Amino acid sequence: MGFKLKIEGQENIELGVKSIETVKFLTDTPDDSNARSTDLGTSIIVTGKILAAVGGENSDGTMKIATWSLVPAEKADCYRKLTVEVIAADEVVRKLSFPNAFVVDYTETYGDEEGVGSFYLHMKQKKDQLPTIKVEGGYSAKN
Amino acid sequence: MGFNVKIEGNETIDLKKASIKTVLFKTDTPDDSNARSTDLGVTITISGKILAAVGGDNTDDTMKMATWSLVPAEKADCYRKVTVEVIAADQMVRKFSFPNAFVVDYTENYGDTEGTGTFELIVKQKKDKLPDVKIEGGYKA
């Protein structure tokens, strides 16, 4: 399956099929609650490759993610619109939209034996904006 | 063995044998209690595959689980009726019914080297409705 990641804010970040390796969608409430809890957290975790621009290509958008992860909480730009599409066999299996996503954790790893780096990006929807999350899918990707 | 999972609420979610891989039923009381504790929790964990609809099939119902996991606690729809059937060799080994189940955790995983995604759903029975949990089984499916 392939993935498309789009982050829209003051700048747009797009990562495609070549960069992204795994996507994880997660809703989490306290495991010890006796009934449905209002303490709901919804995350998306994306991992992938940091591709070096070879042969005059443009560099990928991962550097913009690194700078986004540094935006302080006082600025409105720390919340951005996140869209992740999971595509398999010409079908959009999931389209997850988080209109007010912020970075929880961001990691970049590089090694001397590898040609590409790898990143780990954990994002969460702002808690008071949880009802604006959209989960869609099950339609053709051809349009 | 095969599994059937049915979740009934405002909408019905039907998951079939092709998508479900494991089912875990768990009753949990504090491990450090000196006598039988009243602090009882009953959980079912279901894990399985998210199948992409290929060749005109209908998409599976996993997306409805994702939207159920987002229903806030203020709405009655966050509690649904969950029925899990464990079937082996034409025998209904277990039939679990949780009439007032809510989502504790829900996870979806996708990878670029796989054709299907995976999910994990953890549901719990509302604590004041624990006596309504039913465990049946041992009859012909």
Side-chain angles (χ1 to χ4, degrees):
Chain A
M1 26 186 42
F3 309 101
K4 277 186 199 163
L5 171 79
K6 207 171 172 188
I7 298 165
E8 290 159 286
Q10 285 189 4
E11 56 186 358
N12 285 356
I13 306 169
E14 275 186 49
L15 289 179
V17 178
K18 271 196 276 179
S19 320
I20 302 173
E21 284 178 318
T22 69
V23 168
K24 186 171 172 172
F25 166 78
L26 191 120
T27 47
D28 191 27
T29 64
D31 291 359
D32 57 355
S33 86
N34 295 325
R36 176 72 173 173
S37 168
T38 52
D39 183 8
L40 178 66
T42 307
S43 304
I44 286 183
I45 298 171
V46 180
T47 66
K49 289 177 275 195
I50 298 166
L51 302 167
V54 182
E57 296 169 358
N58 290 328
S59 58
D60 62 6
T62 49
M63 201 167 63
K64 292 184 194 162
I65 302 178
T67 51
W68 177 35
S69 74
L70 296 172
V71 174
E74 301 91 75
K75 292 204 176 148
D77 192 38
C78 70
Y79 297 104
R80 295 190 183 177
K81 185 174 181 233
L82 164 71
T83 316
V84 180
E85 282 179 293
V86 180
I87 300 161
D90 267 339
E91 194 211 349
V92 178
V93 180
R94 287 288 183 282
K95 186 178 175 185
L96 308 162
S97 324
F98 284 30
N100 311 88
F102 61 94
V103 178
V104 180
D105 287 332
Y106 180 67
T107 323
E108 290 187 353
T109 322
Y110 303 96
D112 65 345
E113 288 170 354
E114 290 137 48
V116 293
S118 59
F119 71 88
Y120 169 96
L121 173 64
H122 181 175
M123 292 160 293
K124 224 167 157 175
Q125 168 78 346
K126 196 167 181 288
K127 195 160 178 171
D128 54 334
Q129 304 288 338
L130 276 184
T132 57
I133 289 179
K134 260 192 272 175
V135 181
E136 296 160 311
Y139 52 85
S140 167
K142 280 182 175 165
N143 311 319
Chain B
M1 22 183 51
F3 310 99
N4 287 326
V5 172
K6 207 170 178 187
I7 302 167
E8 289 157 289
N10 277 355
E11 57 186 355
T12 303
I13 305 172
D14 242 320
L15 293 172
K16 289 285 178 326
K17 294 172 187 77
S19 28
I20 300 167
K21 284 204 284 197
T22 68
V23 168
L24 177 100
F25 169 79
K26 194 171 93 175
T27 48
D28 190 28
T29 63
D31 291 358
D32 56 355
S33 83
N34 295 323
R36 175 70 175 174
S37 167
T38 53
D39 183 8
L40 179 65
V42 185
T43 315
I44 280 188
T45 307
I46 299 159
S47 68
K49 287 178 275 194
I50 297 165
L51 303 168
V54 180
D57 294 354
N58 289 327
T59 48
D60 61 5
D61 281 350
T62 50
M63 200 167 65
K64 293 184 193 163
M65 282 197 292
T67 49
W68 178 34
S69 76
L70 295 170
V71 174
E74 301 90 78
K75 293 205 177 146
D77 192 38
C78 70
Y79 297 102
R80 295 188 184 180
K81 185 177 179 221
V82 176
T83 316
V84 179
E85 293 175 343
V86 182
I87 301 161
D90 268 338
Q91 278 277 316
M92 184 75 71
V93 180
R94 288 285 186 282
K95 185 176 176 180
F96 301 105
S97 317
F98 283 36
N100 312 88
F102 63 94
V103 179
V104 179
D105 288 337
Y106 179 69
T107 320
E108 290 187 352
N109 268 304
Y110 302 95
D112 63 343
T113 53
E114 290 135 47
T116 57
T118 57
F119 69 87
E120 191 191 54
L121 175 74
I122 303 177
V123 292
K124 212 167 166 178
Q125 169 76 350
K126 197 167 182 290
K127 194 160 180 171
D128 53 329
K129 303 281 190 194
L130 275 185
D132 296 344
V133 170
K134 255 192 274 174
I135 303 172
E136 296 158 314
Y139 52 87
K140 211 164 166 56

Coordinates of all heavy atoms in Angstrom, one line a residue, chain A residues 27-114:
Chain A
T27 N -6.6 5.9 18.6 CA -7.5 6.6 19.6 C -7.2 6.0 20.9 O -7.2 4.7 21.1 CB -9.0 6.6 19.3 OG1 -9.3 5.2 19.0 CG2 -9.3 7.4 18.2
D28 N -7.0 6.8 21.9 CA -6.6 6.3 23.2 C -7.4 6.9 24.3 O -7.5 8.1 24.4 CB -5.1 6.7 23.4 CG -4.4 6.0 24.6 OD1 -4.9 4.9 24.9 OD2 -3.5 6.5 25.1
T29 N -8.0 6.1 25.2 CA -8.6 6.6 26.4 C -7.9 5.8 27.6 O -7.3 4.8 27.4 CB -10.1 6.3 26.4 OG1 -10.4 4.9 26.4 CG2 -10.8 7.0 25.3
P30 N -8.1 6.3 28.8 CA -7.4 5.6 29.9 C -7.9 4.2 30.0 O -9.1 3.9 30.0 CB -7.9 6.4 31.2 CG -8.2 7.8 30.6 CD -8.8 7.5 29.3
D31 N -6.9 3.2 30.1 CA -7.3 1.8 30.1 C -8.0 1.4 31.4 O -8.6 0.4 31.4 CB -6.0 1.0 30.0 CG -5.3 1.1 28.6 OD1 -5.9 1.9 27.8 OD2 -4.3 0.5 28.4
D32 N -7.9 2.2 32.5 CA -8.5 1.7 33.7 C -9.9 2.4 34.0 O -10.4 2.4 35.1 CB -7.6 2.0 34.9 CG -7.2 3.5 35.0 OD1 -7.6 4.2 34.0 OD2 -6.5 3.9 35.9
S33 N -10.4 3.0 32.9 CA -11.7 3.7 33.2 C -12.9 2.7 33.2 O -12.9 1.7 32.6 CB -11.9 4.8 32.1 OG -12.6 4.3 31.0
N34 N -13.9 3.1 34.0 CA -15.0 2.2 34.2 C -16.1 2.4 33.2 O -16.9 1.5 33.1 CB -15.6 2.4 35.6 CG -14.6 2.1 36.7 OD1 -13.8 1.1 36.5 ND2 -14.6 2.8 37.8
A35 N -16.1 3.5 32.6 CA -17.1 3.8 31.5 C -16.3 4.6 30.5 O -15.2 5.0 30.7 CB -18.3 4.5 32.1
R36 N -17.0 4.9 29.4 CA -16.4 5.7 28.3 C -15.9 7.0 28.9 O -16.6 7.7 29.5 CB -17.4 5.9 27.2 CG -16.9 6.8 26.1 CD -15.9 6.2 25.2 NE -15.6 7.0 24.1 CZ -14.7 6.7 23.2 NH1 -14.0 5.6 23.3 NH2 -14.5 7.5 22.2
S37 N -14.6 7.3 28.7 CA -14.0 8.4 29.3 C -14.1 9.6 28.3 O -14.1 9.5 27.1 CB -12.5 8.1 29.6 OG -11.8 9.2 29.9
T38 N -14.1 10.8 28.9 CA -14.0 12.0 28.0 C -12.6 12.4 27.7 O -12.3 13.2 26.9 CB -14.7 13.2 28.7 OG1 -14.1 13.4 30.0 CG2 -16.1 13.1 28.8
D39 N -11.7 11.7 28.4 CA -10.2 11.9 28.2 C -9.8 11.1 26.9 O -9.1 10.1 27.1 CB -9.5 11.5 29.4 CG -8.0 11.8 29.3 OD1 -7.6 12.5 28.3 OD2 -7.2 11.4 30.2
L40 N -10.1 11.7 25.8 CA -9.8 11.0 24.5 C -8.7 11.6 23.8 O -8.7 12.9 23.7 CB -11.1 11.0 23.7 CG -11.1 10.4 22.3 CD1 -10.9 8.9 22.3 CD2 -12.4 10.7 21.6
G41 N -7.7 10.8 23.4 CA -6.6 11.4 22.6 C -6.5 10.7 21.3 O -6.7 9.5 21.2
T42 N -6.3 11.4 20.2 CA -6.3 10.8 18.9 C -5.0 11.2 18.2 O -4.7 12.4 18.0 CB -7.5 11.3 18.0 OG1 -8.7 11.0 18.8 CG2 -7.6 10.5 16.7
S43 N -4.2 10.2 17.8 CA -2.9 10.5 17.2 C -2.8 9.8 15.8 O -3.5 8.9 15.5 CB -1.8 9.8 18.1 OG -1.9 10.3 19.4
I44 N -1.8 10.4 15.1 CA -1.4 9.8 13.9 C 0.2 9.7 14.0 O 0.8 10.7 14.3 CB -1.8 10.5 12.6 CG1 -3.3 10.3 12.3 CG2 -1.0 10.0 11.4 CD1 -3.8 10.9 11.1
I45 N 0.7 8.5 13.7 CA 2.2 8.4 13.8 C 2.6 7.9 12.4 O 2.1 7.0 11.8 CB 2.6 7.3 14.8 CG1 2.2 7.8 16.2 CG2 4.1 7.1 14.8 CD1 2.4 6.8 17.3
V46 N 3.5 8.7 11.8 CA 4.0 8.4 10.5 C 5.5 8.2 10.6 O 6.2 9.0 11.2 CB 3.7 9.6 9.5 CG1 4.3 9.3 8.1 CG2 2.3 9.9 9.5
T47 N 6.0 7.1 10.0 CA 7.4 6.9 9.9 C 7.8 6.8 8.4 O 7.0 6.4 7.6 CB 7.9 5.6 10.6 OG1 7.4 4.5 9.9 CG2 7.5 5.6 12.0
G48 N 9.1 7.2 8.1 CA 9.5 7.1 6.7 C 10.9 7.4 6.5 O 11.7 7.4 7.4
K49 N 11.3 7.7 5.2 CA 12.7 7.9 4.9 C 12.9 9.3 4.6 O 12.1 10.0 4.0 CB 13.0 7.0 3.6 CG 13.0 5.6 3.9 CD 13.3 4.8 2.6 CE 12.0 4.5 1.9 NZ 12.1 3.5 0.8
I50 N 14.1 9.8 4.9 CA 14.6 11.1 4.5 C 15.5 10.9 3.3 O 16.6 10.4 3.4 CB 15.3 11.8 5.7 CG1 14.4 12.0 6.9 CG2 15.9 13.1 5.2 CD1 15.1 12.3 8.1
L51 N 15.0 11.3 2.1 CA 15.7 11.0 0.9 C 16.6 12.2 0.6 O 16.2 13.3 0.6 CB 14.7 10.8 -0.3 CG 13.7 9.7 0.0 CD1 12.6 9.8 -1.1 CD2 14.4 8.3 -0.1
A52 N 17.9 11.9 0.3 CA 18.8 12.9 -0.2 C 18.5 13.2 -1.6 O 18.2 12.3 -2.4 CB 20.2 12.4 0.0
A53 N 18.5 14.5 -2.0 CA 18.2 14.9 -3.3 C 19.4 14.6 -4.2 O 20.4 15.2 -4.1 CB 17.9 16.4 -3.4
V54 N 19.2 13.6 -5.1 CA 20.3 13.2 -6.0 C 19.9 13.7 -7.4 O 18.8 13.6 -7.8 CB 20.4 11.7 -5.9 CG1 21.6 11.2 -6.8 CG2 20.7 11.2 -4.5
G55 N 20.9 14.1 -8.2 CA 20.7 14.4 -9.6 C 19.8 15.6 -9.8 O 18.9 15.5 -10.7
G56 N 19.9 16.6 -9.0 CA 19.1 17.9 -9.3 C 17.7 17.9 -8.9 O 16.9 18.8 -9.3
E57 N 17.2 16.8 -8.2 CA 15.8 16.8 -7.8 C 15.6 17.8 -6.6 O 16.6 18.3 -6.0 CB 15.4 15.4 -7.2 CG 15.5 14.3 -8.2 CD 15.4 13.0 -7.5 OE1 15.3 13.0 -6.3 OE2 15.4 12.0 -8.2
N58 N 14.4 18.2 -6.4 CA 14.1 19.0 -5.2 C 14.2 18.1 -4.0 O 14.0 16.9 -4.0 CB 12.7 19.5 -5.3 CG 12.5 20.6 -6.4 OD1 13.5 21.3 -6.7 ND2 11.4 20.6 -7.0
S59 N 14.7 18.7 -2.9 CA 14.7 17.9 -1.6 C 13.3 17.7 -1.1 O 12.4 18.4 -1.4 CB 15.6 18.7 -0.6 OG 15.0 19.9 -0.4
D60 N 13.2 16.6 -0.4 CA 11.8 16.3 0.1 C 11.4 17.2 1.2 O 12.1 18.1 1.7 CB 11.7 14.8 0.5 CG 12.6 14.5 1.6 OD1 13.3 15.4 2.2 OD2 12.7 13.3 2.0
G61 N 10.1 17.1 1.7 CA 9.6 18.0 2.6 C 9.9 17.7 4.1 O 9.4 18.4 5.0
T62 N 10.8 16.7 4.3 CA 11.0 16.4 5.7 C 11.7 17.5 6.5 O 11.4 17.6 7.7 CB 11.9 15.1 5.8 OG1 13.1 15.3 4.9 CG2 11.2 13.9 5.4
M63 N 12.5 18.4 5.8 CA 13.1 19.4 6.6 C 12.1 20.4 7.1 O 12.2 21.0 8.2 CB 14.1 20.2 5.8 CG 15.1 20.9 6.7 SD 16.5 21.5 5.7 CE 15.7 22.6 4.6
K64 N 11.0 20.6 6.3 CA 9.9 21.5 6.8 C 9.2 20.9 8.0 O 8.7 21.6 8.9 CB 8.9 21.7 5.7 CG 9.4 22.5 4.6 CD 8.3 22.8 3.5 CE 8.9 23.3 2.2 NZ 7.9 23.1 1.2
I65 N 9.2 19.6 8.1 CA 8.6 18.9 9.3 C 9.4 19.2 10.5 O 8.9 19.5 11.6 CB 8.4 17.4 9.1 CG1 7.5 17.1 7.8 CG2 7.7 16.8 10.3 CD1 7.4 15.6 7.6
A66 N 10.8 19.1 10.3 CA 11.7 19.4 11.4 C 11.5 20.8 11.9 O 11.4 21.0 13.1 CB 13.1 19.2 10.9
T67 N 11.3 21.8 11.0 CA 11.1 23.2 11.5 C 9.8 23.3 12.1 O 9.6 24.1 13.1 CB 11.3 24.2 10.3 OG1 10.5 23.8 9.2 CG2 12.8 24.3 9.9
W68 N 8.7 22.6 11.6 CA 7.4 22.7 12.2 C 7.5 22.2 13.6 O 6.8 22.7 14.5 CB 6.4 21.9 11.4 CG 5.0 21.8 12.0 CD1 4.4 22.8 12.6 CD2 4.1 20.7 11.9 NE1 3.1 22.4 13.0 CE2 2.9 21.1 12.6 CE3 4.2 19.4 11.3 CZ2 1.8 20.2 12.7 CZ3 3.1 18.6 11.4 CH2 1.9 19.0 12.1
S69 N 8.3 21.1 13.9 CA 8.3 20.5 15.2 C 8.9 21.5 16.2 O 8.8 21.3 17.4 CB 9.1 19.2 15.2 OG 10.5 19.5 15.0
L70 N 9.6 22.6 15.7 CA 10.2 23.6 16.6 C 9.3 24.8 16.9 O 9.7 25.6 17.7 CB 11.6 24.0 16.0 CG 12.6 22.9 15.9 CD1 13.8 23.5 15.1 CD2 13.1 22.4 17.2
V71 N 8.2 24.9 16.2 CA 7.3 26.1 16.3 C 6.8 26.1 17.8 O 6.2 25.1 18.2 CB 6.2 26.1 15.3 CG1 5.2 27.2 15.6 CG2 6.7 26.1 13.9
P72 N 7.0 27.2 18.5 CA 6.6 27.2 19.9 C 5.0 27.3 20.0 O 4.3 27.7 19.1 CB 7.2 28.5 20.4 CG 7.5 29.3 19.3 CD 7.7 28.4 18.1
A73 N 4.5 26.9 21.1 CA 3.1 26.8 21.3 C 2.4 28.2 21.3 O 1.2 28.2 21.1 CB 2.8 26.1 22.7
E74 N 3.1 29.2 21.5 CA 2.5 30.6 21.4 C 2.1 31.0 20.1 O 1.2 31.9 19.9 CB 3.5 31.6 21.9 CG 4.0 31.4 23.3 CD 5.3 30.6 23.3 OE1 6.3 31.1 22.9 OE2 5.2 29.4 23.6
K75 N 2.6 30.3 19.0 CA 2.3 30.7 17.7 C 1.2 29.9 17.1 O 1.1 28.7 17.3 CB 3.5 30.6 16.8 CG 4.6 31.6 17.2 CD 5.5 31.9 16.0 CE 6.5 32.9 16.4 NZ 7.8 32.7 15.8
A76 N 0.3 30.5 16.3 CA -0.8 29.8 15.7 C -0.4 28.7 14.7 O -1.0 27.7 14.5 CB -1.8 30.7 15.0
D77 N 0.8 29.0 14.2 CA 1.3 28.1 13.1 C 1.7 26.7 13.7 O 2.0 25.8 12.9 CB 2.6 28.7 12.5 CG 3.0 28.0 11.2 OD1 2.1 27.6 10.5 OD2 4.2 27.9 11.0
C78 N 1.7 26.5 15.0 CA 2.0 25.2 15.5 C 0.9 24.2 15.2 O 1.1 23.0 15.3 CB 2.4 25.2 17.0 SG 1.1 25.6 18.1
Y79 N -0.3 24.7 15.0 CA -1.4 23.9 14.6 C -1.6 23.9 13.1 O -1.7 25.0 12.5 CB -2.7 24.3 15.2 CG -2.7 24.2 16.7 CD1 -2.5 25.3 17.5 CD2 -2.7 23.0 17.4 CE1 -2.4 25.2 18.9 CE2 -2.7 22.9 18.7 CZ -2.5 24.0 19.5 OH -2.4 23.9 20.8
R80 N -1.6 22.8 12.4 CA -1.7 22.7 11.0 C -2.7 21.7 10.6 O -3.1 20.8 11.4 CB -0.3 22.4 10.4 CG 0.7 23.5 10.6 CD 1.9 23.3 9.8 NE 2.9 24.4 10.2 CZ 4.1 24.5 9.6 NH1 4.5 23.6 8.8 NH2 4.9 25.5 10.0
K81 N -3.1 21.8 9.3 CA -4.1 20.8 8.8 C -3.4 19.6 8.3 O -2.6 19.7 7.4 CB -5.0 21.5 7.8 CG -6.1 20.6 7.3 CD -7.0 21.3 6.3 CE -8.1 20.3 6.0 NZ -8.3 20.1 4.6
L82 N -3.7 18.4 8.8 CA -3.1 17.2 8.4 C -4.0 16.3 7.7 O -5.2 16.1 8.1 CB -2.6 16.5 9.7 CG -2.2 15.0 9.6 CD1 -0.9 14.9 8.8 CD2 -2.0 14.5 11.0
T83 N -3.6 15.8 6.5 CA -4.4 14.8 5.8 C -3.5 13.6 5.4 O -2.4 13.8 4.9 CB -4.9 15.4 4.5 OG1 -5.5 16.7 4.8 CG2 -6.1 14.6 3.9
V84 N -3.9 12.4 5.7 CA -3.2 11.2 5.4 C -4.1 10.3 4.6 O -5.2 10.1 5.0 CB -2.7 10.5 6.6 CG1 -1.9 9.2 6.2 CG2 -1.8 11.3 7.5
E85 N -3.6 9.9 3.4 CA -4.4 9.0 2.6 C -3.6 7.6 2.6 O -2.4 7.6 2.3 CB -4.5 9.5 1.2 CG -5.6 10.6 1.1 CD -5.7 11.1 -0.3 OE1 -4.7 11.7 -0.8 OE2 -6.7 10.8 -1.0
V86 N -4.4 6.6 2.8 CA -3.8 5.2 2.6 C -4.5 4.6 1.4 O -5.7 4.5 1.3 CB -4.2 4.4 3.9 CG1 -3.7 2.9 3.7 CG2 -3.7 5.0 5.1
I87 N -3.6 4.3 0.4 CA -4.1 3.8 -0.9 C -3.6 2.4 -1.1 O -2.4 2.1 -1.0 CB -3.7 4.8 -2.0 CG1 -4.3 6.2 -1.7 CG2 -4.2 4.3 -3.3 CD1 -3.6 7.3 -2.4
A88 N -4.5 1.5 -1.5 CA -4.1 0.1 -1.9 C -5.0 -0.3 -3.0 O -6.2 -0.1 -3.0 CB -4.3 -0.8 -0.7
A89 N -4.4 -0.8 -4.1 CA -5.1 -1.4 -5.2 C -6.1 -0.4 -5.8 O -7.3 -0.7 -5.9 CB -5.7 -2.7 -4.9
D90 N -5.7 0.8 -6.0 CA -6.6 1.9 -6.6 C -7.7 2.3 -5.7 O -8.7 2.9 -6.2 CB -7.1 1.4 -8.0 CG -6.2 1.9 -9.1 OD1 -5.5 2.9 -8.8 OD2 -6.3 1.4 -10.2
E91 N -7.7 1.9 -4.4 CA -8.8 2.2 -3.5 C -8.2 3.1 -2.4 O -7.1 2.7 -1.9 CB -9.4 1.0 -3.0 CG -10.8 1.3 -2.3 CD -11.1 0.4 -1.1 OE1 -10.3 -0.6 -1.0 OE2 -12.0 0.7 -0.4
V92 N -8.9 4.2 -2.1 CA -8.5 4.9 -0.9 C -9.1 4.2 0.3 O -10.3 4.2 0.6 CB -9.0 6.4 -0.9 CG1 -8.7 7.1 0.3 CG2 -8.5 7.1 -2.1
V93 N -8.2 3.5 1.0 CA -8.7 2.7 2.2 C -9.1 3.6 3.3 O -10.1 3.4 4.0 CB -7.6 1.7 2.6 CG1 -8.1 0.9 3.8 CG2 -7.2 0.8 1.5
R94 N -8.3 4.6 3.6 CA -8.6 5.6 4.6 C -8.1 7.0 4.1 O -7.1 7.1 3.5 CB -7.8 5.3 5.9 CG -8.2 4.1 6.7 CD -9.5 4.4 7.4 NE -9.9 3.2 8.2 CZ -10.4 2.1 7.7 NH1 -10.6 2.0 6.5 NH2 -10.6 1.1 8.6
K95 N -8.9 8.0 4.5 CA -8.5 9.3 4.4 C -8.7 10.0 5.7 O -9.9 10.2 6.1 CB -9.3 10.1 3.3 CG -8.7 11.5 3.0 CD -9.4 12.2 1.9 CE -8.9 13.6 1.8 NZ -9.7 14.3 0.8
L96 N -7.7 10.2 6.4 CA -7.8 10.8 7.8 C -7.5 12.3 7.8 O -6.4 12.7 7.2 CB -6.8 10.1 8.7 CG -6.8 8.5 8.7 CD1 -5.6 7.9 9.3 CD2 -8.0 8.0 9.5
S97 N -8.4 13.1 8.3 CA -8.1 14.5 8.3 C -8.2 15.0 9.8 O -9.1 14.8 10.5 CB -9.2 15.3 7.5 OG -9.6 14.6 6.4
F98 N -7.1 15.7 10.2 CA -7.0 16.3 11.5 C -6.8 17.8 11.2 O -5.7 18.2 10.9 CB -5.7 15.8 12.2 CG -5.9 14.4 12.8 CD1 -6.7 13.4 12.3 CD2 -5.2 14.1 14.0 CE1 -6.8 12.2 12.8 CE2 -5.3 12.8 14.5 CZ -6.1 11.9 14.0
P99 N -7.8 18.6 11.3 CA -7.7 20.0 10.9 C -6.8 20.8 11.9 O -6.3 21.9 11.5 CB -9.1 20.5 10.9 CG -10.0 19.4 11.0 CD -9.2 18.3 11.7
N100 N -6.6 20.4 13.1 CA -5.8 21.2 14.0 C -4.8 20.3 14.7 O -4.8 20.0 15.9 CB -6.7 21.8 15.1 CG -7.9 22.5 14.5 OD1 -8.9 21.9 14.3 ND2 -7.7 23.8 14.2
A101 N -3.8 19.8 13.9 CA -2.9 18.8 14.4 C -1.6 19.5 14.9 O -1.3 20.6 14.4 CB -2.5 17.8 13.3
F102 N -1.0 19.0 16.0 CA 0.2 19.6 16.4 C 1.2 18.4 16.6 O 0.8 17.2 16.7 CB 0.1 20.3 17.8 CG -0.5 19.5 18.9 CD1 0.4 18.9 19.8 CD2 -1.8 19.3 19.1 CE1 -0.1 18.2 20.9 CE2 -2.3 18.6 20.2 CZ -1.4 18.0 21.1
V103 N 2.5 18.8 16.7 CA 3.6 17.8 16.8 C 3.8 17.4 18.2 O 4.0 18.3 19.1 CB 4.9 18.3 16.2 CG1 6.0 17.2 16.4 CG2 4.7 18.6 14.7
V104 N 3.7 16.1 18.5 CA 4.0 15.6 19.9 C 5.5 15.3 19.9 O 6.2 15.8 20.8 CB 3.1 14.4 20.3 CG1 3.5 13.9 21.6 CG2 1.7 14.7 20.2
D105 N 5.9 14.5 19.0 CA 7.3 14.1 19.0 C 7.8 14.1 17.5 O 7.0 13.7 16.6 CB 7.5 12.7 19.5 CG 7.4 12.6 21.0 OD1 7.7 13.6 21.7 OD2 7.0 11.6 21.6
Y106 N 9.0 14.4 17.3 CA 9.6 14.3 16.0 C 11.1 13.8 16.1 O 11.8 14.4 16.9 CB 9.6 15.6 15.2 CG 10.2 15.5 13.8 CD1 9.5 14.7 12.9 CD2 11.3 16.1 13.5 CE1 10.1 14.5 11.6 CE2 11.9 16.0 12.2 CZ 11.3 15.2 11.3 OH 11.8 15.0 10.0
T107 N 11.4 12.8 15.4 CA 12.8 12.2 15.5 C 13.3 12.0 14.1 O 12.6 11.6 13.2 CB 12.7 10.8 16.2 OG1 11.8 10.8 17.3 CG2 14.1 10.5 16.8
E108 N 14.6 12.3 14.0 CA 15.3 11.9 12.8 C 16.5 11.1 13.1 O 17.2 11.4 14.1 CB 15.8 13.2 12.0 CG 14.7 14.0 11.4 CD 15.1 15.2 10.6 OE1 16.4 15.4 10.5 OE2 14.3 15.8 9.9
T109 N 16.7 10.0 12.4 CA 17.8 9.1 12.7 C 18.7 8.9 11.4 O 18.1 8.7 10.4 CB 17.3 7.7 13.2 OG1 16.1 7.9 14.0 CG2 18.3 7.0 13.9
Y110 N 20.0 9.0 11.6 CA 20.9 8.8 10.5 C 22.0 7.8 10.9 O 22.3 7.8 12.1 CB 21.5 10.1 10.1 CG 20.6 11.2 9.7 CD1 20.2 12.1 10.6 CD2 20.0 11.3 8.4 CE1 19.3 13.1 10.3 CE2 19.1 12.2 8.1 CZ 18.8 13.2 9.0 OH 17.9 14.1 8.7
G111 N 22.5 7.0 10.0 CA 23.5 6.1 10.3 C 24.6 6.1 9.3 O 24.3 6.5 8.1
D112 N 25.8 5.7 9.6 CA 26.9 5.8 8.7 C 26.9 4.7 7.6 O 27.7 4.6 6.7 CB 28.3 5.8 9.4 CG 28.6 4.6 10.1 OD1 27.7 3.8 10.3 OD2 29.8 4.4 10.5
E113 N 26.0 3.7 7.8 CA 25.9 2.6 6.9 C 24.7 2.7 5.9 O 24.4 1.8 5.2 CB 25.8 1.3 7.6 CG 27.1 0.9 8.3 CD 26.9 -0.3 9.2 OE1 25.7 -0.7 9.4 OE2 27.9 -0.8 9.8
E114 N 24.0 3.8 6.1 CA 22.8 4.0 5.3 C 22.9 5.2 4.3 O 23.5 6.2 4.6 CB 21.6 4.2 6.2 CG 21.2 2.9 7.0 CD 20.9 3.2 8.4 OE1 20.1 4.1 8.6 OE2 21.5 2.6 9.3

